[in-house]
Amino acid sequence: MNENNSYGGFWKRLIAYIIDAIIIAGPVTMIFGTGLPDDVVNVKVDTVEISILPQAIMFFVSWIYFAGLESSVWQATPGKKILGMKVTDIEGKRISFITATIRYLSKFLSS
């Protein structure tokens, strides 16, 4: 790791994530949040009804947003960029889309 680089701490990462969540959730909710027929959105599992389409859309949009931006020339989402962070490999270089995808999916294990 380069001497000038440091890791973003928990609070910095949390604030960046909140900024990004607002950026993603606003438009997705406005476009897909209402008006979908119940039979398209809901799946009944035993006695519990689960809405899968909104979650699937949010998952797909979030994956493209995070993996796409973190592997781009920006090396950061807007939330990270605002807070002066960027995503790099161990040598400080830009990560690939595949690496960014693995990184995104790994977040589910830690949460």
Side-chain angles (χ1 to χ4, degrees), residues 13 16-17 20 24 62-81 85-89 93-107:
R13 288 173 185 254
Y17 182 78
D20 291 327
I24 294 170
S62 297
W63 164 56
I64 297 300
Y65 177 88
F66 283 100
L69 288 169
E70 290 174 354
S71 64
S72 73
V73 293
W74 264 25
Q75 293 180 264
T77 60
K80 288 182 181 79
K81 196 150 182 77
M85 296 186 294
K86 66 180 182 177
V87 178
T88 67
D89 66 8
K93 297 177 186 171
R94 189 170 84 179
I95 62 173
S96 69
F97 183 77
I98 297 294
T99 302
T101 296
I102 293 167
R103 185 178 187 277
Y104 174 75
L105 296 173
S106 297
K107 291 178 186 178

Side-chain angles (χ1 to χ4, degrees), residues 6-101:
S6 63
Y7 293 103
F10 173 79
W11 294 110
K12 215 172 174 181
R13 288 173 185 254
L14 178 63
I15 292 168
Y17 182 78
I18 291 169
I19 292 168
D20 291 327
I22 291 167
I23 291 170
I24 294 170
V28 170
T29 301
M30 287 175 18
I31 294 168
F32 298 107
T34 60
L36 294 172
D38 286 342
D39 59 342
V40 173
V41 185
N42 298 327
V43 173
K44 199 160 195 156
V45 179
D46 291 332
T47 58
V48 178
E49 200 168 292
I50 302 170
S51 298
I52 59 168
L53 187 59
Q55 283 80 12
I57 291 167
M58 187 60 93
F59 175 83
F60 180 76
V61 170
S62 297
W63 164 56
I64 297 300
Y65 177 88
F66 283 100
L69 288 169
E70 290 174 354
S71 64
S72 73
V73 293
W74 264 25
Q75 293 180 264
T77 60
K80 288 182 181 79
K81 196 150 182 77
I82 288 167
L83 294 172
M85 296 186 294
K86 66 180 182 177
V87 178
T88 67
D89 66 8
I90 195 90
E91 297 171 353
K93 297 177 186 171
R94 189 170 84 179
I95 62 173
S96 69
F97 183 77
I98 297 294
T99 302
T101 296

